[in-house]
Amino acid sequence: MTISDKSPTSNDSYDEFPYESYPFPHTRPEYLRTIGVLFGMTPPTLKTARVLELGCSNGGNIINFAETYPKSYSLGVDLSKTEIEHGHKLIQKLGLKNIELKHMSITDLDESFGKFDYIICHGVFSWVPDAVKDKILEISNKLLNKNGISFISYNVLPGWNMVNNIRDMMLFHSSIFEDTHNKVKQAKLFLDFVNDSLQDSTAPYAKFLKEEALALAKHEDQYLRHEYLAEENTPFYFHKFMDLARAHSLNYLGDANIQTMYLGNLPAHASEKLAVINDIVRTEQYIDFIYNRRFRCTLLVGKDTVINRAITSEILDQFYTMCMLSADKLESDIDLSNALESITFSLIESTATSISTSSPIMKAIFYSYIDNIGNPLKINKLLHVASTKLPQFALQDFIQEFNNNIGKLVLSGYIKLFESKPASIFEISAKPKASNLARYQAAHASINKLWITTQINQLLAIQLPDKYVLELLDGNHNLEQITTKLTDKFVKGELVAAEGDVKITDKATLKNLASKCVESSLEKFRRNFILVA
């Protein structure tokens, strides 16, 4: 995220405090298309898609898409000249011809730029003046192709009612300082002061302030500057945002996080009461009230777009599915057929979210998902794989039980859907290969910020051995060559291996260690959408 079209001085603040341009998987056109198809649309094809990002920073959110789909076209606009220049250098080094980044105002976009299939505006809407907000919605209407999808994120109420107290405090304390860096420094010191002052208080308000102060203290200076010390930060009630969108002939498709739309995730009595409301916007607003929501990622479409949110097992059959789970026991340590033994499966990205089952069929299905993390499968393929684990059950038994559960698993956030197979491979080839972007990121990453962009636009943290392995994944090095080059890194001291306090120098031992590092890195890449054909 970076910001566009603020006051004349705020543009300078983004050059002074550049906002790290991260990839955001829920903004990626593949994901937007998935939500569109799920809700009955026929969104434009990805291979030739035209993508527009408003507030693109250095293009870190859309460059991967451009590289993956060479016949597509992506345009990013941003007011930060520094970030656009950084993006130009990266695009040039990657040799991409199908993406442009322009240093310009959102307000200067018009129909001469053509129409787009997917429009992305992440982390901009709440932070710009009203005239620019209006322009963003105008663009989402006038520049969006038929069956196209526009993504807009923004801060929302009621969640920001209390958070605004923190922002007001930080703005008040930092207002007497002129230098921007000093403002941020003083704001952080103020957070420390708040936390220390309330250390012994057990009052609910004190508890909230302490939790927020501790959470904000972990963020980088750029985040505090542009989120809490920004000149503009306007949260909206969802229904008020939709009033603005409808005034521009835009309709609500859904939320980028579809599980937040599912009434079944609410307590039963609340779900029953909200289910009788025949108005999706009002229902969503009530959910925001219940959860005290503070941020939304809304998908908008043209007002005449036909939407069908009735999700059936027949509809879900057309999607590739993945479930990123870990189990409290290894499959090899249990008897899958034992209907008396319950196994707990937890989401890897949120171990506090778990589901337990003693059903032999569901256990086989979940273990099959674990085996295929990084390899989304269509449901019929998944169930075929799972059925081989329990040959005493018929395939129809798997189909029936899974159909009884899949809707809730999808809408509760356990199962991820992919309308098209991600552009990565699950096999480790003789000469493994990663995208040019991922290899560039690895080669130029600082030791303190080792991360790369996956083929599903996720940020993947890597370790130093991963970095060196990744740099060699150009499709020209076999495993032995990669191991030899990694061994050299150990020998030269660029990678250090030790037993206790004693550094390992024996070359045979280092080669064995390098071989294990290569194996571990490739397994990590295989399961995280890094390897490509």
Side-chain angles (χ1 to χ4, degrees):
M1 174 189 107
T2 191
I3 221 72
S4 295
D5 300 278
K6 287 191 171 186
S7 66
T9 57
S10 66
N11 177 41
D12 296 334
S13 79
Y14 271 81
D15 285 335
E16 183 181 9
F17 263 89
Y19 211 116
E20 188 88 39
S21 183
Y22 294 114
F24 298 100
H26 53 293
T27 71
R28 191 168 168 92
E30 293 98 322
Y31 185 74
L32 306 186
R33 178 175 165 80
T34 293
I35 302 299
V37 172
L38 182 66
F39 289 155
M41 290 179 60
T42 53
T45 183
L46 298 168
K47 290 183 179 179
T48 56
R50 287 176 53 85
V51 179
L52 170 65
E53 182 166 29
L54 308 176
C56 67
S57 184
N58 64 22
N61 190 40
I62 54 175
I63 287 177
N64 180 251
F65 181 84
E67 182 182 4
T68 302
Y69 300 96
K71 293 183 180 180
S72 69
Y73 170 74
S74 294
L75 170 63
V77 301
D78 201 282
L79 269 187
S80 172
K81 183 178 180 181
T82 299
E83 289 304 299
I84 292 295
E85 288 175 349
H86 289 165
H88 283 161
K89 291 176 182 177
L90 175 55
I91 290 169
Q92 187 175 19
K93 288 176 180 177
L94 295 176
L96 299 176
K97 305 297 184 184
N98 61 335
I99 178 171
E100 292 184 277
L101 303 182
K102 292 186 179 293
H103 173 224
M104 63 180 292
S105 168
I106 288 173
T107 57
D108 291 332
L109 279 166
D110 57 31
E111 292 177 85
S112 68
F113 288 86
K115 292 201 171 187
F116 296 87
D117 302 313
Y118 300 96
I119 297 175
I120 303 164
C121 186
H122 186 39
V124 176
F125 196 83
S126 281
W127 299 267
V128 292
D130 289 346
V132 185
K133 293 181 179 71
D134 188 68
K135 183 65 177 182
I136 290 169
L137 293 171
E138 178 187 319
I139 289 169
S140 294
N141 174 28
K142 292 184 177 179
L143 301 192
L144 193 65
N145 273 323
K146 183 179 180 180
N147 289 319
I149 299 173
S150 178
F151 171 108
I152 302 177
S153 67
Y154 48 97
N155 286 337
V156 293
L157 301 167
W160 259 84
N161 279 324
M162 291 187 69
V163 181
N164 257 328
N165 293 343
I166 300 281
R167 170 173 149 80
D168 289 343
M169 293 177 191
M170 293 171 68
L171 286 171
F172 174 78
H173 179 70
S174 63
S175 63
I176 61 175
F177 304 97
E178 293 186 5
D179 178 72
T180 305
H181 286 272
N182 202 24
K183 283 179 178 286
V184 175
K185 178 182 177 181
Q186 290 297 326
K188 293 172 75 173
L189 290 173
F190 173 73
L191 292 176
D192 292 337
F193 169 73
V194 169
N195 191 50
D196 292 342
S197 301
L198 299 173
Q199 199 64 46
D200 299 324
S201 176
T202 58
Y205 183 61
K207 181 175 183 292
F208 166 77
L209 288 180
K210 284 189 289 185
E211 289 176 351
E212 287 294 313
L214 285 172
L216 288 176
K218 298 175 183 177
H219 283 287
E220 297 175 337
D221 289 356
Q222 61 181 13
Y223 177 80
L224 296 179
R225 167 65 186 93
H226 301 305
E227 179 76 9
Y228 285 81
L229 300 180
E231 292 85 349
E232 191 95 32
N233 189 335
T234 308
F236 292 84
Y237 283 107
F238 174 59
H239 73 281
K240 291 291 187 182
F241 172 83
M242 282 309 305
D243 285 345
L244 296 175
R246 285 168 170 165
H248 284 276
S249 300
L250 294 165
N251 198 10
Y252 177 62
L253 173 64
D255 195 272
N257 302 308
I258 57 173
Q259 61 266 29
T260 64
M261 302 174 63
Y262 178 45
L263 293 178
N265 291 328
L266 294 170
H269 62 283
S271 177
E272 291 171 4
K273 291 183 181 296
L274 292 181
V276 302
I277 301 173
N278 190 29
D279 184 330
I280 184 67
V281 171
R282 288 186 65 85
T283 300
E284 289 284 299
Q285 182 60 73
Y286 282 120
I287 293 174
D288 284 2
F289 285 138
I290 292 170
Y291 283 129
N292 197 37
R293 191 165 178 172
R294 63 169 70 175
F295 191 72
R296 266 190 175 270
C297 299
T298 295
L299 306 185
L300 298 172
V301 293
K303 67 175 183 178
D304 296 326
T305 304
V306 176
I307 300 170
N308 177 16
R309 299 189 187 89
I311 300 174
T312 65
S313 58
E314 289 76 21
I315 291 173
L316 294 173
D317 282 343
Q318 65 186 297
F319 293 94
Y320 294 89
T321 68
M322 186 178 72
C323 199
M324 296 185 68
L325 296 173
S326 62
D328 62 354
K329 292 181 182 179
L330 295 174
E331 183 182 352
S332 58
D333 292 339
I334 68 167
D335 176 7
L336 270 182
S337 63
N338 184 359
L340 298 178
E341 183 177 16
S342 180
I343 303 297
T344 298
F345 297 89
S346 303
L347 283 178
I348 292 174
E349 49 199 30
S350 176
T351 53
T353 303
S354 63
I355 188 168
S356 297
T357 182
S358 58
S359 161
I361 287 177
M362 290 309 300
K363 285 186 290 189
I365 289 172
F366 286 143
Y367 277 116
S368 295
Y369 270 129
I370 290 174
D371 293 341
N372 285 280
I373 291 175
N375 182 37
L377 300 174
K378 286 201 171 182
I379 292 171
N380 60 350
K381 175 65 174 177
L382 169 77
L383 297 183
H384 174 76
V385 170
S387 67
T388 63
K389 295 179 181 291
L390 291 170
Q392 63 270 44
F393 289 91
L395 179 59
Q396 188 59 39
D397 296 328
F398 280 82
I399 294 171
Q400 182 175 339
E401 186 157 352
F402 192 59
N403 283 348
N404 290 338
N405 289 280
I406 185 173
K408 185 174 182 179
L409 290 170
V410 168
L411 295 172
S412 298
Y414 285 94
I415 291 179
K416 291 185 177 181
L417 301 178
F418 299 82
E419 189 275 330
S420 57
K421 190 86 168 178
S424 61
I425 60 174
F426 195 55
E427 299 77 23
I428 299 172
S429 62
K431 294 182 178 181
K433 185 179 179 181
S435 71
N436 291 334
L437 174 62
R439 290 193 298 109
Y440 178 90
Q441 289 173 324
H444 293 82
S446 68
I447 300 302
N448 297 324
K449 289 186 178 180
L450 287 172
W451 61 266
I452 57 174
T453 301
T454 74
Q455 289 300 104
I456 58 171
N457 220 39
Q458 286 183 324
L459 183 153
L460 177 66
I462 58 175
Q463 303 299 317
L464 197 55
D466 300 328
K467 164 185 163 69
Y468 291 131
V469 171
L470 193 58
E471 290 176 27
L472 297 168
L473 301 188
D474 57 3
N476 296 317
H477 295 84
N478 61 32
L479 300 185
E480 180 62 30
Q481 290 171 324
I482 295 171
T483 300
T484 298
K485 288 183 179 291
L486 197 64
T487 303
D488 289 341
K489 297 287 186 184
F490 280 109
V491 172
K492 293 176 181 177
E494 296 176 42
L495 283 171
V496 177
E499 289 183 355
D501 295 330
V502 180
K503 182 179 177 180
I504 298 173
T505 57
D506 178 69
K507 191 165 183 178
T509 303
L510 291 176
K511 183 174 183 179
N512 183 55
L513 180 60
S515 178
K516 291 180 179 178
C517 286
V518 171
E519 181 181 350
S520 174
S521 293
L522 290 175
E523 178 65 15
K524 181 177 186 176
F525 299 154
R526 181 178 77 94
R527 292 171 67 84
N528 283 280
F529 302 94
I530 296 298
L531 303 179
V532 299

